[in-house]
Amino acid sequence: MRPRFVILLVAVTALLAIVPIVGSPVMVQFGISTLLFAVLAQSWNIIGGFTGYPSFGNSVFYGLGVYGTAIAMAKFSLPFGVGLVCGAILAMLCALLIGLPVLRLRGQYFAIATLGLSVAMAAVFSNIEIAGANIGLILPLTRADGMFYELSLGLLVACVLCVFWISRSRFGMGLIAIREDEHAAASMGVNTTLYKTMALVLSALFTSIAGGIHAYFITFVDPASAFDSTLNVRMVIMTVFGGPGTVLGPVVGAFVLSAVYELLANWISTAAALLFGVVIVVAVIFMPRGIADLAAGIRRQGISYLLQNIRRYRL
Amino acid sequence: MRYTLTLLAALPALILSAATLAQADDDVITLGASVQQTGQQANTGRYYADAYKLAIDTINAKGGVKVGDKSYKLALKLYDNQSDVNLSVRQYVQLITADKVNYLLGPFASNYALDDSSVAEKYQIPMVQGGGASGQIYARGYKYVFGTLPPAEDYYASTIDMMGKLDPKPANVALISADDSFDVSVAKGTREHLKSAGLNIVVDEKFAENNADFASILSLVKSKTPDVILWSGHETEALNFIRQMKSLDVNPKGFYAFTVGVPTADFRKALGNDANYAFGMTTWLPTDKLPDQWFGNAADFAKVYKEKFGYDPDYHAASAVADVETYAVSLAKAGSLEPPKVRDAIAAIEFDSLYAHIKYGENGQIVLPQVVVQIQNNELMPVYSTDFLNKPQYPVPAWGERK
């Protein structure tokens, strides 16, 4: 990585960090949700992008983070930080427990099995008394949107650094090997079960902390919003849009798509959902491997990169 | 990589442009709201969007609002939250900080009101909302949030009150409710009301939301022979419940009542004669007995509304109008546009509207008895609110004895 690029990244992060001081409250609101989406996309990238396991269970980890934090704070009056740790532990344990049996499945079977989990988990939490059952839990109101923003930004930086480490480490190479050919990876001495479970647990860690921050920020949690499977779909879309298996792709994907969604929603509200869909379809046709690949491809081949994509994938 | 950099650098610009700016005239009071105009909840959300517009236009046509010595016109800044809770939170922040609206009106549904009212409280801007009934909204000690839907916990309060005045007086009750958030709250409150009225709960069953089969619950009910069945759920489930009651010949000795369905025309159409005798409830009926300063009365309002929008208003629309009128009345009382003063005025006001007699309780939620209704000879009849309005058909005859 060139030093110029590192300096630019640091500058962008610094710029983002001062948004609460110089920006309007609307920007801070938008920033919080966008940064959290970027964390979710980046976490999904670990299991979905690097390891090649399309998880639809990440909304379970998100929900556990939400509820871990909410129960600790609302029922036991514990501080926010302790709540986040509770949520993270809960989610990582869950990842460990479900990872061992479910990670034996491949491809669409893995996707279906994990998809069932979030529905099941919502049903479980609607019947747990300590989680407020179906009525939900209320968290204390804090007038500190700046803090939520900086926390989200900090979490995103940590998550990106972690993925950067993965992309250069033996562990990451193992994950990529599993994605490309799991049998070959195993025969080369990669402990596939350990690697896959580790990837899922790491993914659960960041996802659940994002959930915990969002719970305290929004002050109310219920099973429907905590275990929302459309959230998982958005993680996948953002990652794929940005470039799965790359370090910055999911972050850029989350930022760009959040901005597009927000602009469409506020300016042309009725057709927003439709246009958002069009953006995704066009993106999949012209840059099926994400923005990260687009950037490299255009530099290499210019505009013909887009056409070549269509030919290559026989659209 | 250079292109990734350009994109990264463009991000702050994108975020900046996401915030739009609006300017306010100095003789206009702007009310802001974010409502579901598209997406899953749009079907009910439209009541709020349309009723807000109609109420504001009508108040302006009658001269607007006088605050101190100055006359103001009302204006509405409306966003479509596309049935997305997180987007609605951001839009409320935008309304307050970028659009600089004076006060807030609410969205539809409790889960939206729960999140959005936190924004109002954070910025200390009053929000009067007519879309969320959950007691949770008011359990947080917020000062700036008011609501015109009565608490879910009290839905059966007037029905239970009526039971004390019936002859013969019912003693044993079967309570059946769906397992979603709203109906769980209804059941919880009903249990407490029944206990303090000294009635026995002989059956207390929960069913899964969107369930169509009540056979096992109904055979349990049949074996316990209760006097009254109090049922809480959604309209389609209510239809199924009555059909299965008939086919399994389940006959409570007194009557059976539903939280939803009974007041709607669809309910009577779907069930035909089997809809007869069913008890239900509504917070609002479009009668000429509800006088209103701007619309004349509730019946006139219903007529104007139908002419303008092409469909009949229901309690959602009436409640939304009451929210706007709350501001009109309390601004005149407050004599100031300062949010804290307006807030205090809202807490203290009392006036008659086409929706109901408006007075907010200590926690900000309206105190409002449900009107008990019954379908008598295929007609919807109001039966009881704080006393009998019409004679109920009681006890309800068994299925086999009906003509």
Side-chain angles (χ1 to χ4, degrees):
Chain A
M1 191 176 275
R2 284 168 304 172
R4 248 182 45 211
F5 186 63
V6 176
I7 292 168
L8 191 93
L9 275 184
V10 172
V12 169
T13 312
L15 211 62
L16 285 173
I18 56 164
V19 163
I21 303 162
V22 296
S24 70
V26 181
M27 274 168 65
V28 175
Q29 296 286 319
F30 173 71
I32 293 169
S33 89
T34 307
L35 291 170
L36 289 179
F37 263 124
V39 173
L40 294 181
Q42 188 66 285
S43 319
W44 190 86
N45 188 30
I46 299 174
I47 183 75
F50 279 93
T51 324
Y53 274 74
S55 162
F56 281 87
N58 274 33
S59 57
V60 171
F61 307 139
Y62 179 83
L64 288 173
V66 165
Y67 266 104
T69 309
I71 292 171
M73 291 181 72
K75 293 280 171 178
F76 299 102
S77 313
L78 293 168
F80 177 48
V82 180
L84 283 182
V85 173
C86 292
I89 291 175
L90 209 60
M92 283 157 71
L93 275 179
C94 173
L96 206 61
L97 284 177
I98 63 170
L100 290 175
V102 172
L103 281 168
R104 291 167 180 276
L105 303 167
R106 304 253 173 97
Q108 63 267 51
Y109 302 105
F110 176 78
I112 292 167
T114 48
L115 189 59
L117 279 173
S118 75
V119 182
M121 209 52 106
V124 168
F125 271 83
S126 355
N127 286 296
I128 298 179
E129 205 52 50
I130 198 169
N134 254 315
I135 299 174
L137 287 175
I138 286 170
L139 295 170
L141 181 71
T142 5
R143 290 186 178 79
D145 285 358
M147 176 197 84
F148 289 118
Y149 181 92
E150 301 298 354
L151 268 179
S152 311
L153 183 62
L155 181 63
L156 179 61
V157 170
C159 191
V160 171
L161 287 178
C162 175
V163 171
F164 176 68
W165 168 76
I166 288 176
S167 74
R168 317 227 130 186
S169 67
R170 194 186 153 78
F171 173 59
M173 296 304 145
L175 295 183
I176 293 170
I178 290 171
R179 179 183 74 200
E180 298 305 329
D181 189 334
E182 197 165 337
H183 289 297
S187 64
M188 293 299 286
V190 175
N191 185 345
T192 55
T193 314
L194 178 73
Y195 275 40
K196 284 186 295 184
T197 314
M198 279 279 288
L200 194 64
V201 169
L202 265 180
S203 185
L205 169 67
F206 291 111
T207 308
S208 63
I209 296 178
I213 293 175
H214 191 258
Y216 191 27
F217 166 64
I218 207 92
T219 71
F220 174 73
V221 308
D222 65 350
S225 66
F227 298 100
D228 180 5
S229 53
T230 62
L231 191 68
N232 208 122
V233 175
R234 292 172 86 167
M235 299 176 204
V236 179
I237 292 177
M238 285 169 171
T239 311
V240 171
F241 186 88
T246 61
V247 178
L248 287 176
V251 178
V252 176
F255 280 22
V256 171
L257 284 185
S258 294
V260 169
Y261 178 75
E262 195 78 5
L263 293 178
L264 288 175
N266 284 338
W267 289 346
I268 16 173
S269 100
T270 35
L274 178 75
L275 286 173
F276 193 67
V278 170
V279 168
I280 306 236
V281 170
V282 170
V284 169
I285 291 176
F286 288 105
M287 38 177 235
R289 297 176 66 195
I291 292 180
D293 191 59
L294 173 83
I298 293 247
R299 205 162 51 150
R300 208 168 50 234
Q301 307 168 284
I303 292 298
S304 66
Y305 164 80
L306 299 176
L307 298 173
Q308 200 199 344
N309 265 332
I310 297 181
R311 273 198 297 276
R312 190 191 304 160
Y313 297 98
R314 291 179 196 177
L315 283 163
Chain B
M1 209 46 125
R2 214 168 64 232
Y3 291 86
T4 325
L5 299 190
T6 322
L7 274 169
L8 273 174
L11 286 176
L14 267 172
I15 296 169
L16 261 173
S17 54
T20 52
L21 287 166
Q23 257 187 331
D25 284 322
D26 71 333
D27 56 350
V28 171
I29 295 170
T30 310
L31 305 179
S34 152
V35 172
Q36 298 88 326
Q37 290 180 287
T38 52
Q40 273 182 1
Q41 275 99 19
N43 201 22
T44 313
R46 66 179 174 162
Y47 286 113
Y48 291 89
D50 289 344
Y52 288 155
K53 282 180 211 145
L54 181 60
I56 285 174
D57 289 348
T58 311
I59 291 171
N60 283 341
K62 299 254 159 97
V65 183
K66 209 162 163 122
V67 185
D69 302 325
K70 201 171 164 194
S71 274
Y72 290 87
K73 293 274 183 217
L74 294 181
L76 180 67
K77 177 81 192 168
L78 191 66
Y79 283 114
D80 173 13
N81 63 31
Q82 310 189 339
S83 305
D84 175 344
V85 182
N86 291 320
L87 181 60
S88 82
V89 170
R90 291 205 291 284
Q91 287 176 333
Y92 273 102
V93 173
Q94 174 148 357
L95 285 166
I96 295 172
T97 60
D99 302 334
K100 309 271 184 220
V101 300
N102 296 81
Y103 316 106
L104 298 173
L105 295 163
F108 163 62
S110 291
N111 52 333
Y112 288 80
L114 271 160
D115 291 350
D116 297 339
S117 57
S118 289
V119 177
E121 186 70 17
K122 234 180 230 180
Y123 289 91
Q124 310 199 318
I125 300 289
M127 171 188 274
V128 181
Q129 62 90 13
S134 164
Q136 296 269 69
I137 301 167
Y138 307 97
R140 300 174 291 183
Y142 285 4
K143 285 263 165 290
Y144 284 82
V145 180
F146 298 89
T148 44
L149 288 186
E153 285 81 359
D154 290 344
Y155 267 47
Y156 270 119
S158 47
T159 308
I160 292 168
D161 191 32
M162 175 185 81
M163 280 155 68
K165 297 181 187 169
L166 288 172
D167 181 43
K169 196 173 170 251
N172 298 321
V173 178
L175 181 61
I176 299 159
S177 74
D179 68 352
D180 62 295
S181 167
F182 178 79
D183 292 300
V184 169
S185 305
V186 171
K188 189 168 153 240
T190 305
R191 242 169 253 137
E192 281 154 25
H193 283 295
L194 286 170
K195 223 167 270 168
S196 60
L199 295 154
N200 302 325
I201 305 174
V202 290
V203 176
D204 189 346
E205 286 292 316
K206 219 156 69 162
F207 62 87
E209 203 179 354
N210 302 323
N211 172 33
D213 183 21
F214 292 100
S216 61
I217 291 181
L218 279 169
S219 46
L220 179 69
V221 170
K222 201 170 181 177
S223 70
K224 300 272 183 183
T225 61
D227 299 316
V228 173
I229 297 175
L230 300 182
W231 188 96
S232 170
H234 309 99
E235 185 158 343
T236 43
E237 296 156 355
L239 293 173
N240 282 328
F241 188 80
I242 291 193
R243 288 192 182 116
Q244 290 173 31
M245 256 178 94
K246 187 186 180 187
S247 66
L248 294 170
D249 198 30
V250 177
N251 297 295
K253 281 175 266 172
F255 68 94
Y256 45 93
F258 300 85
T259 47
V260 294
V262 175
T264 69
D266 288 345
F267 185 85
R268 274 163 279 158
K269 216 186 285 167
L271 287 173
N273 284 338
D274 292 342
N276 280 332
Y277 302 105
F279 279 77
M281 61 183 70
T282 177
T283 44
W284 185 73
L285 288 167
T287 67
D288 53 13
K289 284 175 193 145
L290 288 164
D292 187 276
Q293 191 185 336
W294 290 279
F295 285 92
N297 61 47
D300 293 340
F301 159 73
K303 210 162 33 172
V304 176
Y305 189 97
K306 171 100 195 241
E307 260 167 36
K308 183 141 192 205
F309 303 114
Y311 63 96
D312 286 311
D314 72 351
Y315 69 91
H316 295 106
S319 155
V321 171
D323 299 342
V324 177
E325 291 185 352
T326 294
Y327 280 120
V329 173
S330 32
L331 281 167
K333 277 263 163 59
S336 156
L337 296 185
E338 290 295 308
K341 290 203 175 119
V342 175
R343 184 259 151 215
D344 291 343
I346 297 172
I349 51 159
E350 207 173 323
F351 70 100
D352 282 311
S353 79
L354 59 85
Y355 172 64
H357 181 75
I358 306 287
K359 180 177 168 35
Y360 297 98
E362 195 75 355
N363 61 2
Q365 191 165 24
I366 197 168
V367 183
L368 184 65
Q370 293 275 353
V371 177
V372 180
V373 294
Q374 186 183 26
I375 299 174
Q376 303 182 348
N377 308 317
N378 302 319
E379 291 279 332
L380 186 67
M381 296 291 277
V383 169
Y384 186 94
S385 66
T386 48
D387 206 342
F388 286 103
L389 305 169
N390 285 297
K391 202 172 142 29
Q393 292 178 334
Y394 176 87
V396 169
W399 293 103
E401 294 157 23
R402 296 185 187 184
K403 276 171 268 165

